[in-house]
Amino acid sequence: MPPVAWPVSPCVGKVRGAANTFAFATPLHPSRVRCSIKAQKMPPKRVAETLTGRLQSKLDARASRETKGWIEKYMKNVIEARGLQTPDVVSMVAEWRREEGVDELAPKTQKMIATLLMKSDYTEDKLASSLVFQTCLIPSGSIAWRDSLPWFASFFDDGLIWDWASCDGFCGRVLKHLVMSQKERAEREACARGISEWRNAENLWRQRASCVSFVTLAKQGDAFFPGFKDMLLDGCGTTVRRQERFVQTGTGWLLREIGKGDESALVEFCEWNLEWFTGEGLRYAVEKLPREQSSKLRDRHKERRARQGANTGGEREPQKRKRKPEDR
């Protein structure tokens, strides 16, 4: 029986040649793969590269050209896709974790895997990275938020997260769960406030993350911790002044969820900050209000923008192209 070649290249999912493969003498059943890695006593970096390559090959084998085209068109070609839907990636990552014994690896190696996946050009790999954090590192208590927030910020600032899908996936699967994993209320509050401070970042995706990380928690209001609602509204008071489309929609999304728990707080915020909203940002914020109330706010917004002769350039969607190598 011919040997089975397993990819171990640290490259980000492109086609790998024979120089970047590792051959076993005989095919291994998935249940025996993790034993072989332990037996070889491979260094952590090599283990991370090997398992990352195996997952990428696994994703490629299940990918569909039709799905790839649909995703890239939906994302307006700002990021490449292998061709898998989110539920497929979630199930395949879970399967890969079981087969390879990823949960049994040292946290250092798991972090290397998550970083390699985040460095990939493919949207599915970035989702897989968030899943490693969500299912392995955060539940095991291996992520100390005070040390990790600057590291996570670098994912945005260094250009590893540059599209709304990767941003929102990281917010919902990593940052939100990082906050919720804090057992002490004081630590939960401190972690949340640390993320909320990203509203002052120059990077627009980190500004969006300061809002989107809390969308599923917002309606809890101060039941989550005292002062939580005011923290969110203060954050929105900063981000609403940015005219970039995805900062505006992230702000509106969070405000909509705040309004589910406190409608009057939402209306008051919109009235005080009406001049800063783009039309799309306001539409996101008020879409769950009673029709009469939402129509009133939107009409007032249109009238004010018309009077001021406001520049509507903020409605343009940024980054409508794939990044060039020199941009990365």
Side-chain angles (χ1 to χ4, degrees):
M1 185 178 293
V4 173
W6 297 100
V8 298
S9 170
C11 64
V12 293
K14 305 299 184 184
V15 177
R16 292 172 285 272
N20 288 324
T21 61
F22 182 85
F24 288 105
T26 57
L28 293 177
H29 187 276
S31 64
R32 295 175 56 196
V33 170
R34 58 182 172 180
C35 298
S36 69
I37 291 178
K38 290 181 179 179
Q40 294 172 54
K41 296 182 179 179
M42 294 163 62
K45 183 179 178 181
R46 183 70 178 279
V47 172
E49 292 170 353
T50 301
L51 298 184
T52 299
R54 291 180 185 174
L55 175 59
Q56 290 171 332
S57 294
K58 192 180 188 74
L59 295 171
D60 269 340
R62 192 85 61 89
S64 158
R65 182 172 297 182
E66 181 180 357
T67 304
K68 170 183 171 68
W70 182 89
I71 294 172
E72 291 181 351
K73 182 178 179 181
Y74 181 71
M75 293 299 298
K76 300 192 176 11
N77 294 309
V78 299
I79 190 168
E80 293 180 80
R82 293 183 184 276
L84 296 112
Q85 297 284 1
T86 296
D88 296 324
V89 177
V90 172
S91 64
M92 292 179 72
V93 169
E95 182 180 275
W96 165 77
R97 286 171 48 218
R98 291 192 300 270
E99 291 177 353
E100 307 287 7
V102 174
D103 294 9
E104 300 172 16
L105 297 173
K108 178 181 178 180
T109 307
Q110 294 174 342
K111 290 177 183 179
M112 288 180 181
I113 291 172
T115 302
L116 286 171
L117 289 167
M118 188 59 74
K119 287 181 177 180
S120 171
D121 289 336
Y122 291 108
T123 184
E124 293 92 344
D125 296 28
K126 294 181 185 296
L127 171 57
S129 173
S130 294
L131 288 166
V132 171
F133 282 113
Q134 179 188 7
T135 60
C136 297
L137 286 159
I138 292 177
S140 68
S142 302
I143 298 293
W145 74 264
R146 295 179 190 277
D147 296 329
S148 296
L149 281 188
W151 177 36
F152 291 161
S154 73
F155 289 174
F156 295 84
D157 296 341
D158 293 346
L160 302 183
I161 295 177
W162 71 84
D163 67 286
W164 67 262
S166 301
C167 175
D168 294 0
F170 192 79
C171 291
R173 296 182 183 278
V174 182
L175 296 176
K176 181 189 78 172
H177 286 279
L178 183 63
V179 173
M180 294 177 65
S181 70
Q182 308 306 312
K183 297 180 180 179
E184 298 294 329
R185 175 170 286 190
E187 284 299 291
R188 183 188 305 170
E189 177 178 351
C191 181
R193 291 189 181 280
I195 296 170
S196 181
E197 282 300 314
W198 286 8
R199 65 184 182 267
N200 297 311
E202 293 183 7
N203 183 279
L204 75 90
W205 299 110
R206 199 137 66 90
Q207 285 204 344
R208 179 178 173 89
S210 74
C211 296
V212 176
S213 298
F214 302 108
V215 291
T216 62
L217 303 173
K219 63 184 178 182
Q220 296 185 39
D222 288 352
F224 192 62
F225 63 75
F228 181 55
K229 182 178 67 178
D230 285 344
M231 181 199 82
L232 298 181
L233 290 170
D234 287 345
C236 290
T238 298
T239 57
V240 75
R241 293 170 180 253
R242 288 284 295 265
Q243 296 297 291
E244 287 87 354
R245 180 189 179 196
F246 289 107
V247 180
Q248 280 280 323
T249 54
T251 302
W253 187 8
L254 177 58
L255 286 168
R256 182 188 72 190
E257 298 304 309
I258 293 172
K260 290 180 180 180
D262 190 339
E263 185 177 297
S264 62
L266 168 59
V267 172
E268 182 179 4
F269 181 94
C270 291
E271 289 176 339
W272 276 97
N273 293 279
L274 205 56
E275 65 183 295
W276 299 109
F277 280 102
T278 62
E280 187 177 24
L282 182 63
R283 176 169 59 81
Y284 269 62
V286 304
E287 65 181 347
K288 297 298 182 181
L289 288 176
R291 180 172 297 182
E292 182 179 352
Q293 181 70 70
S294 65
S295 296
K296 181 180 178 181
L297 286 168
R298 293 174 68 181
D299 289 345
R300 285 181 55 200
H301 176 261
K302 289 178 183 178
E303 292 171 2
R304 177 171 293 189
R305 300 280 280 194
R307 287 199 309 269
Q308 294 176 345
N311 180 4
T312 58
E315 299 288 276
R316 292 194 304 268
E317 178 178 341
Q319 300 185 16
K320 284 278 191 180
R321 59 176 178 83
K322 293 181 180 178
R323 300 182 309 162
K324 297 178 181 178
E326 58 266 28
D327 294 334
R328 294 173 184 164

